[in-house]
Amino acid sequence: MADLIFYNGTVNTMKGQTASAVAVAGSVIQAVGSDEEILLMADPGCRVIDLQGRCVMPGFQDSHCHLLLTGLGYERLNLRGVTSVDQLIQAGRDYIRENQIPAGTWIQGEGFDNTLFDDPALPDYHVIEAISTEHPILLERVCGHVGTANRLAMKTIGFDEHTRITGGVIDLDREGQITGVLREAALDQFKMRIPKPRLEDVKRCIVAAARNANQYGVTSVHTDDLEGAELHTLLQAYRELEEEGTLTVRVWEEIQAARIPVLNKFLEMGLRTGDGTDYFRIGNIKLLTDGSLGARTAYMREDYCDDPGNRGVAVYTQEELDEVALAAHQAGMQIACHAIGDGSVEQCVGALEKAYQSDGVDLRNRIVHCQFGDRELFARMARNHIAADIQPSFTISDIPYVACRMGAREEQGYCWKTMLEEGVHLGGGSDSPVESFDPIWGIHCVVNRTDASGQPEGGWHPDQKLTVEEAAALYTTEGAYLTFEENKKGAVAPGYLADLAVLSADLFHTAPEHILDVQVEMTVVGGKIVYSR
């Protein structure tokens, strides 16, 4: 008999059929059907919930985020929304004072967007030292690919004007002195040397971020957490959270392994893609191959229109990328390459193509972001079973600077419809903490291609709009496909995991302009209600 029943609503199964009721037994879906047949499964101990016309869908899956960093961000200096250098400085001073942070303690902040400032130049160490010269400080831009440190932080880490980082840049002024600005691999290497949080801190932050994701109907995440913790600490944290029953999302863990020595060190642990439980699995090897559009570090085939001579940062040569991708693939590891610029996407397609053709094994390798490209690249992706993790909300948040950065090449960006037409599998992610976990916002962004106020009128490049059904699939069936779990997740069907999102209305029968009116009422993971509005 059933333990939990929903009835008197709409059940969008994502299998081309609808029903009005669903029964859950333990952690799996027992049956889907009419009110009459499902209510017969109720016994005296069964919880029966009247949907009152509301809608049940598969729990949403976020195909690319940073769960731990999101949680850590709740406790770090939050710079989202600051619109000037003066506001940034004041926010930093207030944070130190309000938290009574002693001198010598590291301060990490994130989320500033210098394009919102009157002078959009990146803040240098002078700005950071206006916050404090007694605390080592690192502030990261909202994209997470550029940051600025004060001189105490640079000295503590051991970076100076003579430091060279492969695939990264340490900015120097005209006199050859450090400015404090770190880009790409230089920022990554810098952060790796900052003391990592303790086990109890990692657990607390994961739980907080998971609870936040649950509020948006998210039940599974594909997450890159190694920026925030050592691997052994991370694995122990997830193991303990699962044992304690406090992990409220299912995790596909991405492992950053930039170069062959780092990759080999991980492979020696004996872990491979798919290892784990239904709550925590080892996912893919994550390779960062370029930067971000906002910071002009995304690697392009041609110069940025607003920065002649700059094509961004290529973290790898083609030969280097080919080498690490082939080694990971032949070890049985799925590969996810962060690539935004068309130059980087082209590099990644070449490397993953060679890896796939080396043995013909489809590991469902993917390109994360994949924001610029053309039909030829997308067709090669489809032929070589290369999927894409897209961030639907970037479609809107990047509008303010796409035209000035790209000029006429703007039309080659965010081409989600073209990708689908070429047969590329697309997963939908938030890149949280860069953007909100909210899949309904993401669905709005790709269906309407407007901001919350409906601008630009008619949608930005409307030929690339997706249908509601296509958009919903990004966060359900396609997310499951990317983790080889399409037979247990991403749909509402007997035998599937009981991961469900209860919505205030049926997205499939909501006018596109009213998608944002739909709210998440309840989230269920493994048959347990983990959020209720």
Side-chain angles (χ1 to χ4, degrees):
M1 301 297 283
D3 299 309
L4 175 65
I5 285 176
F6 292 98
Y7 77 102
N8 188 29
T10 299
V11 181
N12 279 335
T13 64
M14 294 304 295
K15 283 182 169 288
Q17 62 191 77
T18 57
S20 61
V22 57
V24 173
S27 63
V28 300
I29 296 168
Q30 183 178 19
V32 179
S34 68
D35 291 349
E36 292 77 11
E37 58 187 332
I38 296 302
L39 286 172
L40 289 174
M41 298 180 181
D43 61 21
C46 178
R47 182 172 182 181
V48 179
I49 297 177
D50 183 353
L51 292 169
Q52 298 179 334
R54 293 174 294 182
C55 176
V56 173
M57 287 190 65
F60 294 124
Q61 300 178 55
D62 189 313
S63 68
H64 178 69
C65 70
H66 306 269
L67 192 67
L68 175 56
L69 281 183
T70 300
L72 287 168
Y74 301 153
E75 302 180 1
R76 290 176 175 172
L77 171 57
N78 182 3
L79 297 170
R80 281 173 172 73
V82 301
T83 57
S84 69
V85 166
D86 288 343
Q87 283 188 15
L88 183 149
I89 292 170
Q90 191 60 51
R93 291 173 176 173
D94 291 345
Y95 177 80
I96 293 172
R97 185 187 70 255
E98 292 167 3
N99 293 280
Q100 299 181 335
I101 300 174
T105 302
W106 272 92
I107 306 272
Q108 288 182 259
E110 52 198 29
F112 76 84
D113 184 352
N114 54 296
T115 66
L116 301 177
F117 302 171
D118 289 338
D119 177 1
L122 284 163
D124 60 14
Y125 74 78
H126 294 288
V127 174
I128 313 304
E129 290 182 356
I131 297 174
S132 173
T133 58
E134 298 180 347
H135 301 78
I137 300 175
L138 173 67
L139 305 184
E140 292 185 59
R141 192 182 180 279
V142 65
C143 62
H145 291 268
V146 176
T148 304
N150 62 0
R151 285 177 293 184
L152 177 57
M154 297 286 275
K155 182 179 179 180
T156 301
I157 295 300
F159 276 23
D160 59 25
E161 62 271 16
H162 304 296
T163 305
R164 298 291 181 268
I165 303 293
T166 301
V169 177
I170 300 173
D171 283 11
L172 304 177
D173 62 20
R174 292 179 180 178
E175 284 71 45
Q177 300 300 307
I178 56 173
T179 68
V181 175
L182 305 161
R183 303 174 190 265
E184 301 310 329
L187 176 62
D188 296 336
Q189 290 292 321
F190 189 94
K191 289 191 295 185
M192 285 176 63
R193 303 182 192 189
I194 297 174
K196 293 294 191 291
R198 299 167 300 174
L199 175 63
E200 55 267 35
D201 300 325
V202 171
K203 291 173 64 178
R204 182 181 66 254
C205 291
I206 288 173
V207 168
R211 295 292 185 185
N212 179 259
N214 295 153
Q215 294 180 41
Y216 296 108
V218 174
T219 57
S220 291
V221 296
H222 310 181
T223 175
D224 171 7
D225 293 321
L226 284 182
E227 288 182 63
E230 301 289 355
L231 180 57
H232 65 89
T233 303
L234 192 66
L235 295 178
Q236 184 178 352
Y238 277 117
R239 182 172 63 252
E240 291 185 9
L241 289 173
E242 183 177 357
E243 291 172 352
E244 294 162 6
T246 52
L247 186 59
T248 59
V249 292
R250 302 186 192 277
V251 171
W252 181 260
E253 186 62 51
E254 300 183 339
I255 309 295
Q256 282 198 36
R259 306 279 167 177
I260 290 294
V262 181
L263 174 64
N264 287 340
K265 185 176 179 180
F266 167 76
L267 294 176
E268 288 169 3
M269 297 175 67
L271 299 172
R272 294 295 184 272
T273 294
D275 287 352
T277 69
D278 283 338
Y279 270 93
F280 179 85
R281 293 189 186 280
I282 297 297
N284 47 55
I285 291 296
K286 171 84 176 296
L287 304 176
L288 290 162
T289 70
D290 73 345
S292 73
L293 184 68
R296 297 190 192 87
T297 54
Y299 179 51
M300 300 294 178
R301 288 166 163 171
E302 301 176 28
D303 293 356
Y304 283 94
C305 292
D306 59 348
D307 192 11
N310 177 24
R311 294 188 179 183
V313 176
V315 176
Y316 297 87
T317 66
Q318 186 67 59
E319 292 72 21
E320 290 170 339
L321 187 58
D322 290 351
E323 179 187 30
V324 70
L326 181 62
H329 181 92
Q330 293 190 334
M333 292 297 301
Q334 184 187 77
I335 304 162
C337 294
H338 163 111
I340 288 179
D342 54 2
S344 185
V345 170
E346 184 173 45
Q347 280 189 316
C348 294
V349 170
L352 296 178
E353 186 175 56
K354 291 174 185 175
Y356 169 68
Q357 292 180 359
S358 71
D359 57 16
V361 176
D362 180 10
L363 293 176
R364 301 182 185 179
N365 296 324
R366 43 175 131 164
I367 298 177
V368 181
H369 309 309
C370 202
Q371 284 174 218
F372 290 90
D374 54 34
R375 279 192 181 272
E376 180 183 357
L377 279 175
F378 303 150
R380 287 173 64 192
M381 288 173 65
R383 286 198 302 271
N384 291 281
H385 302 276
I386 303 169
D389 279 334
I390 69 169
Q391 284 58 57
S393 56
F394 287 7
T395 310
I396 303 307
S397 59
D398 288 1
I399 286 177
Y401 43 79
V402 174
C404 65
R405 297 279 194 278
M406 302 302 294
R409 290 176 290 152
E410 171 187 332
E411 296 185 357
Q412 295 182 358
Y414 315 83
C415 298
W416 318 136
K417 191 72 169 183
T418 302
M419 289 184 183
L420 285 180
E421 291 171 350
E422 292 298 329
V424 177
H425 282 277
L426 302 181
S430 64
D431 206 14
S432 179
V434 177
E435 299 277 352
S436 162
F437 279 117
D438 190 0
I440 292 177
W441 169 243
I443 290 169
H444 160 84
C445 288
V446 291
V447 170
N448 294 303
R449 292 178 73 100
T450 68
D451 63 19
S453 68
Q455 296 299 315
E457 187 175 352
W460 185 61
H461 296 295
D463 58 306
Q464 293 296 330
K465 290 181 178 180
L466 302 188
T467 66
V468 175
E469 289 79 2
E470 289 168 338
L474 301 178
Y475 296 98
T476 54
T477 53
E478 290 294 89
Y481 171 84
L482 292 176
T483 60
F484 305 91
E485 295 175 295
E486 64 267 33
N487 293 319
K488 63 164 61 176
K489 286 165 59 173
V492 183
Y496 277 56
L497 292 170
D499 298 350
L500 307 169
V502 179
L503 309 183
S504 61
D506 180 2
L507 281 172
F508 289 10
H509 292 89
T510 297
E513 62 270 22
H514 293 298
I515 286 173
L516 291 179
D517 295 335
V518 178
Q519 295 181 306
V520 174
E521 301 283 351
M522 187 178 292
T523 305
V524 178
V525 178
K528 298 178 180 178
I529 298 172
V530 296
Y531 168 75
S532 179
R533 190 167 74 92

